[in-house]
């Protein structure tokens, strides 16, 4: 441990609580060993009770990526979103919405999330997103919103999506591909 030089010094420490810790009380033992200028030994023992409480409903977007991050002639991206339940309730009616109003994108995927203290309390969803051929060349903000109880807001992350002109074509000639990106089965 750290050696203190004066009586007025402090030791500050942090305790990391795992995200999937069960609700309840936990005991934390603190032992201080000391020696004074006469070589006398001292020991002080403290016990602190930490209480872990969870909200009933606490659904969050932990990560949100798109591939590719820029589009031009091929106007499609794959969004990958990790949604985690930190709450104490199982979420039977959870959902993910990928959206941008300017692009007329609004895709919803429904799923179930185990309670926050489960060993696996998250899902990773992959969503294919078509970008309209008429979209102007600029940067858009694509959002990933986690919902619970069908339509109650939980959390949101946004990510920039860069739309570039298709080289050699005008915006009217640019089209979305007829085939869609391959999809992976959603975890549940």
């Amino acid at each position: 441990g750290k050696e203190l030089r004066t009586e007025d010094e402090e030791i500050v420490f942090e305790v990391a609580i795992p995200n999937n810790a069960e609700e309840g009380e936990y005991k934390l033992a603190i032992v201080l060993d000391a020696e004074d200028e006469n070589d006398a030994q001292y020991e002080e023992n403290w016990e602190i009770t930490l209480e872990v409480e969870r909200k009933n409903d606490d659904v969050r977007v932990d990560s949100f990526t798109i591939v590719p991050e820029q589009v031009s002639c091929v106007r499609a991206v794959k969004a990958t979103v990790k949604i985690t339940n930190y709450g104490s309730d199982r979420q039977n009616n959870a959902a993910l919405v990928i959206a941008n109003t300017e692009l007329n994108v609004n895709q919803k995927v429904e799923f179930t999330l185990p309670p926050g203290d489960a060993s696996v309390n998250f899902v990773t969803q992959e969503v294919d997103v078509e970008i309209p051929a008429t979209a102007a060349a600029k940067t858009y903000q694509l959002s990933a919103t986690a919902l619970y109880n069908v339509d109650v807001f939980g959390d949101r992350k946004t990510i920039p999506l860069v739309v570039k002109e298709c080289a050699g074509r005008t915006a009217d000639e640019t089209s979305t591909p007829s085939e869609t990106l391959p999809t992976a089965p959603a975890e549940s």
Side-chain angles (χ1 to χ4, degrees):
K2 182 178 177 186
E3 190 172 311
L4 299 178
R5 299 283 181 211
T6 69
E7 292 178 17
D8 296 336
E9 281 191 71
E10 295 182 351
I11 296 177
V12 177
F13 61 95
E14 294 180 12
V15 177
I17 308 294
N19 287 333
N20 63 346
E22 291 184 26
E23 281 190 299
E25 292 185 353
Y26 295 87
K27 303 290 184 194
L28 177 65
I30 298 175
V31 179
L32 296 173
D33 293 315
E35 183 178 300
D36 67 15
E37 65 277 353
N38 297 323
D39 294 331
Q41 300 288 321
Y42 301 93
E43 182 176 289
E44 188 70 37
N45 294 292
W46 291 317
E47 186 174 276
I48 297 174
T49 302
L50 300 175
E51 187 171 350
V52 174
E53 294 180 1
R54 292 182 175 278
K55 295 178 184 177
N56 290 339
D57 302 308
D58 186 4
V59 177
R60 300 181 208 166
V61 176
D62 278 342
S63 64
F64 176 29
T65 59
I66 56 172
V67 175
E69 295 174 350
Q70 296 182 20
V71 295
S72 60
C73 297
V74 176
R75 300 267 174 119
V77 298
K78 181 178 290 292
T80 303
V81 185
K82 179 182 176 188
I83 304 102
T84 303
N85 182 8
Y86 292 99
S88 60
D89 288 354
R90 177 182 177 88
Q91 298 298 332
N92 292 318
N93 297 302
L96 164 68
V97 177
I98 304 294
N100 178 286
T101 53
E102 283 185 275
L103 295 171
N104 200 28
V105 170
N106 189 15
Q107 292 178 245
K108 185 175 186 178
V109 179
E110 296 178 353
F111 50 90
T112 297
L113 280 169
D117 60 1
S119 60
V120 177
N121 60 342
F122 67 90
V123 297
T124 300
Q125 296 288 336
E126 291 186 341
V127 180
D128 294 327
V129 180
E130 296 288 328
I131 309 304
T134 57
K138 70 177 202 173
T139 300
Y140 297 87
Q141 294 298 315
L142 201 58
S143 69
T145 304
L147 304 173
Y148 62 91
N149 294 341
V150 180
D151 62 356
V152 179
F153 175 82
D155 189 27
R156 176 177 294 131
K157 287 203 185 311
T158 59
I159 193 166
L161 167 64
V162 178
V163 174
K164 294 185 171 187
E165 289 295 333
C166 182
R169 290 192 194 169
T170 65
D172 293 336
E173 297 172 328
T174 306
S175 62
T176 54
S178 58
E179 75 278 353
T180 60
L181 296 171
T183 60
E187 295 178 27
S188 45

